[in-house]
Amino acid sequence: MMHGTLRSSGGKRVFVAVGMFAALGILLAQPLRADEAAEKKAAELLNKYVDATGGRAAFDKIKNRVTVMTVTMPVADNRMKLKVYSARPNKSHLIIDAEGLGKMEQGCNGKVVWEKSDLTGCRIKTGKERSVSLREATIDRFVRWKKVYDKAEFV
């Protein structure tokens, strides 16, 4: 550690520890390294997912898809039927039919994002809500995550 002695204007000695400032700088830089490590781990995880599900070439072949599922909520003893139509690059139509809650639809044609619900009626989504829906409608968002998301973190 480098150090030296300086005299203050009052004549008192002041010990200067340059090494302490360097150590403080290293400690302050640790969160940056942790963030970089978390981002690197997240990127590795996303890349493993893409590889495990067929790789980028397989995803590039997908032009559209239909996903159908039934979700059962045991606590409320309710069932929801979901159907999602998706098309490249970011078009989607989601239909949810929930027992006791009615039907809800939302969609995106790549520019306009909308919602229609028995509870709230029809509306056009704007702002952050629109941005999130457009991102979620991207059919291959996990393959092209660097273009779709600002960053990835492993938490």
Side-chain angles (χ1 to χ4, degrees), residues 95-98 101-105 116-120:
I95 303 164
I96 301 173
D97 194 359
L101 296 175
K103 192 172 182 181
M104 195 273 290
E105 295 182 61
K116 177 182 166 188
S117 166
D118 288 347
L119 297 173
T120 60

Side-chain angles (χ1 to χ4, degrees), residues 5-71:
T5 305
L6 300 174
R7 296 214 183 256
S8 70
S9 59
K12 294 185 180 177
R13 291 178 156 199
V14 178
F15 180 72
V16 178
V18 177
M20 286 177 51
F21 292 112
L24 181 61
I26 291 169
L27 288 174
L28 292 175
Q30 290 301 319
L32 294 177
R33 286 197 199 130
D35 287 347
E36 289 171 8
E39 286 184 37
K40 185 177 178 182
K41 191 165 185 173
E44 289 172 3
L45 205 56
L46 285 165
N47 292 334
K48 283 181 182 179
Y49 168 78
V50 170
D51 291 341
T53 54
R56 186 181 191 123
F59 276 90
D60 287 344
K61 291 178 184 176
I62 299 171
K63 304 299 178 215
N64 56 55
R65 85 175 143 229
V66 177
T67 306
V68 179
M69 67 183 95
T70 301
V71 178

Side-chain angles (χ1 to χ4, degrees), residues 86-98:
S86 304
R88 190 171 290 281
N90 60 349
K91 298 176 181 175
S92 68
H93 183 188
L94 165 69
I95 303 164
I96 301 173
D97 194 359

Side-chain angles (χ1 to χ4, degrees), residues 94-148:
L94 165 69
I95 303 164
I96 301 173
D97 194 359
E99 294 174 0
L101 296 175
K103 192 172 182 181
M104 195 273 290
E105 295 182 61
Q106 64 183 26
C108 173
N109 69 1
K111 294 181 181 177
V112 177
V113 181
W114 55 271
E115 181 179 89
K116 177 182 166 188
S117 166
D118 288 347
L119 297 173
T120 60
C122 299
R123 67 186 186 95
I124 301 292
K125 293 183 179 183
T126 60
K128 187 174 183 177
E129 190 178 28
R130 177 184 178 270
S131 298
V132 169
S133 293
L134 284 169
R135 183 173 50 243
E136 295 302 311
T138 303
I139 200 166
D140 58 355
R141 68 183 176 275
F142 297 116
V143 174
R144 301 183 201 313
W145 67 270
K146 288 182 182 179
K147 290 182 180 179
V148 176

